Amino acid sequence: MIKDSSDDDIVFGPAASESDVPNEDLGGEELDGDDLDGDDTGGEVRIGEEVFRDIVVPESANGQRIDFFLTQACDGFSRTQITQAIQAEGATLDGRTVRPSVRIQASQRIRFRMPEPPTDDTVPENIPLDVLYEDDGLVVVNKPPGMVVHPARGNWTGTLTSALAFRFQSLSDVGGPTRPGIVHRLDRDTSGVIVVAKTNAVHMHLSEQFANRVVEKEYFAITAARIDRDRDIIDMPIGRHPYQRDKMAIREHHETSKPASTFYEVISRHGRFTQVRVKPKTGRTHQIRVHLSHLGAAILCDRLYAGHAEVTMGMLTGTHDETKDKVLLDRQALHARKLTFEHPQSGKSMTFEAPLPADIMRVVNVLERLP
């Protein structure tokens, strides 16, 4: 796997080889259990097609949230999966259905319906796709916001790869069984243009273009602050955040840091907000988001770097009456607008553009009416 991409964009080259006792009146089949912190955490029992886990809360977990505790107690599942299972009335505490936020006490008894385990292969799903272009070698898709590109921990269904597997008979397998056709990636909350390979030869050619940085990528963003310079290049190395593992940060002379360069150009300013065109020259995880945040102009609704996850008309206009409290945008205002590359088969330069999605356009329309 070659990690070389624009913001939230990872290029996929050849994949590496992958090599208490249950209640007696349930009539279920007891499965192997394990211990947590040496206390009696119970075992698992199968009732029909469902598997439950019975746990007696140990002293060490006294006062913890039930979703946090079960994430530690049930290996192989993310906290998101555990939370979703609890929300689906999958957990009882001393016989009562509870919410994920409930605090547990020592000696209480939990019965938890285990989520379905993830599979190693992509499961085709009939999910609509906005296909911008297709030929016998590749497909270009306008990815909607909220869609994960490929299955990963906590996101095993509803992915772009599931939609692709359902719609297309043949896709490249260079990236491995869970990433058919996937050459590069966009983050879940970043919408826009993404190219998919149908054959291995096309996949390898596209991967090489991304790795050599000859693919031109243009993003549209709205920042939650005014950018004073009309245009500039940000050259600042990016590495892992020192204490938040899901974030990146500007870090010089650190073992995780890599050079990063981003060109930006202001499209228009609206009070304290800015519409901006961004062209990453290098490709690092969260590059655009980190660089704009470094300017003091984090992307609007960027949960990680702006500190807020939604915006209303009242927040944009500075008024806060009930008629203006409707949420206009609830994900980062970042859109992969254009992608230019050489077609692996014809050798021609091709540019694909995805129009701004409806949620970002709602914000643009409000901003452009501001004085």
Side-chain angles (χ1 to χ4, degrees):
M1 184 173 75
I2 305 169
K3 291 187 177 181
D4 181 357
S5 60
S6 62
D7 178 68
D8 293 314
D9 191 30
I10 293 179
V11 180
F12 291 101
S17 57
E18 300 178 352
S19 27
D20 174 347
V21 179
N23 295 338
E24 294 180 358
D25 60 350
L26 293 175
E29 174 191 354
E30 186 178 350
L31 305 177
D32 291 335
D34 57 5
D35 290 339
L36 184 69
D37 297 334
D39 292 296
D40 180 10
T41 59
E44 294 181 354
V45 61
R46 186 183 300 278
I47 305 175
E49 296 298 319
E50 296 183 324
V51 176
F52 292 82
R53 182 161 186 182
D54 289 340
I55 305 173
V56 176
V57 178
E59 288 287 345
S60 59
N62 190 57
Q64 288 184 4
R65 285 174 54 124
I66 191 170
D67 57 350
F68 178 78
F69 170 73
L70 287 174
T71 302
Q72 297 179 87
C74 303
D75 291 338
F77 297 98
S78 70
R79 188 168 180 177
T80 298
Q81 289 173 291
I82 296 294
T83 299
Q84 290 174 344
I86 298 172
Q87 289 172 334
E89 300 185 348
T92 60
L93 188 63
D94 289 339
R96 294 180 302 170
T97 302
V98 294
R99 299 187 305 273
S101 60
V102 164
R103 302 281 176 174
I104 57 178
Q105 304 299 320
S107 300
Q108 288 185 305
R109 302 181 69 89
I110 298 172
R111 165 151 288 177
F112 180 57
R113 184 172 62 236
M114 301 291 284
E116 286 291 323
T119 62
D120 292 333
D121 296 319
T122 297
V123 178
E125 297 179 72
N126 188 6
I127 303 171
L129 285 175
D130 181 7
V131 176
L132 302 175
Y133 174 83
E134 179 189 359
D135 60 27
D136 61 358
L138 56 85
V139 181
V140 180
V141 175
N142 179 16
K143 186 187 85 67
M147 175 182 275
V148 176
V149 170
H150 59 79
R153 187 181 179 90
N155 297 287
W156 301 105
T157 61
T159 64
L160 176 62
T161 54
S162 291
L164 292 167
F166 181 89
R167 178 158 178 171
F168 300 104
Q169 294 293 320
S170 178
L171 295 167
S172 74
D173 58 9
V174 172
T178 63
R179 302 183 179 108
I182 301 301
V183 181
H184 64 128
R185 179 175 68 85
L186 293 176
D187 180 70
R188 175 209 292 265
D189 289 330
T190 300
S191 54
V193 186
I194 185 169
V195 60
V196 177
K198 286 186 173 182
T199 70
N200 287 354
V202 167
H203 189 133
M204 296 298 289
H205 196 293
L206 288 171
S207 291
E208 185 177 1
Q209 290 185 59
F210 275 99
N212 293 335
R213 299 191 176 98
V214 295
V215 176
E216 296 179 19
K217 292 159 285 187
E218 180 182 310
Y219 288 74
F220 172 88
I222 302 173
T223 66
R226 184 182 181 88
I227 298 177
D228 292 327
R229 290 193 176 187
D230 289 341
R231 61 188 60 82
D232 201 357
I233 294 178
I234 307 169
D235 280 305
M236 297 295 292
I238 293 176
R240 290 291 173 188
H241 195 280
Y243 54 87
Q244 290 181 266
R245 66 179 184 177
D246 55 346
K247 293 181 68 173
M248 307 298 288
I250 302 297
R251 303 195 74 181
E252 297 188 76
H253 312 301
H254 189 267
E255 61 181 8
T256 66
S257 296
K258 296 181 180 179
S261 179
T262 303
F263 170 81
Y264 72 85
E265 182 177 29
V266 170
I267 298 172
S268 58
R269 301 179 180 89
H270 310 274
R272 60 188 180 90
F273 304 98
T274 307
Q275 295 184 48
V276 60
R277 179 182 299 109
V278 188
K279 295 182 178 181
K281 300 297 182 181
T282 55
R284 307 300 177 209
T285 301
H286 296 186
Q287 178 172 318
I288 295 174
R289 298 163 67 186
V290 172
H291 273 172
L292 290 180
S293 178
H294 178 70
L295 286 184
I299 293 174
L300 188 69
C301 297
D302 189 329
R303 187 186 306 271
L304 278 179
Y305 300 100
H308 64 278
E310 61 183 36
V311 67
T312 64
M313 183 183 295
M315 293 169 66
L316 295 176
T317 60
T319 58
H320 297 285
D321 59 74
E322 292 183 0
T323 63
K324 296 183 178 180
D325 285 341
K326 181 180 179 182
V327 173
L328 298 180
L329 182 69
D330 59 2
R331 57 96 177 188
Q332 62 209 30
L334 184 63
H335 177 68
R337 194 168 198 168
K338 289 184 182 180
L339 190 68
T340 300
F341 56 86
E342 178 185 287
H343 195 290
Q345 294 167 312
S346 69
K348 294 181 179 179
S349 177
M350 304 183 76
T351 298
F352 300 95
E353 182 170 358
L356 293 180
D359 57 354
I360 290 181
M361 278 303 305
R362 287 195 295 266
V363 176
V364 169
N365 290 337
V366 173
L367 292 180
E368 292 186 344
R369 293 198 298 269
L370 293 180

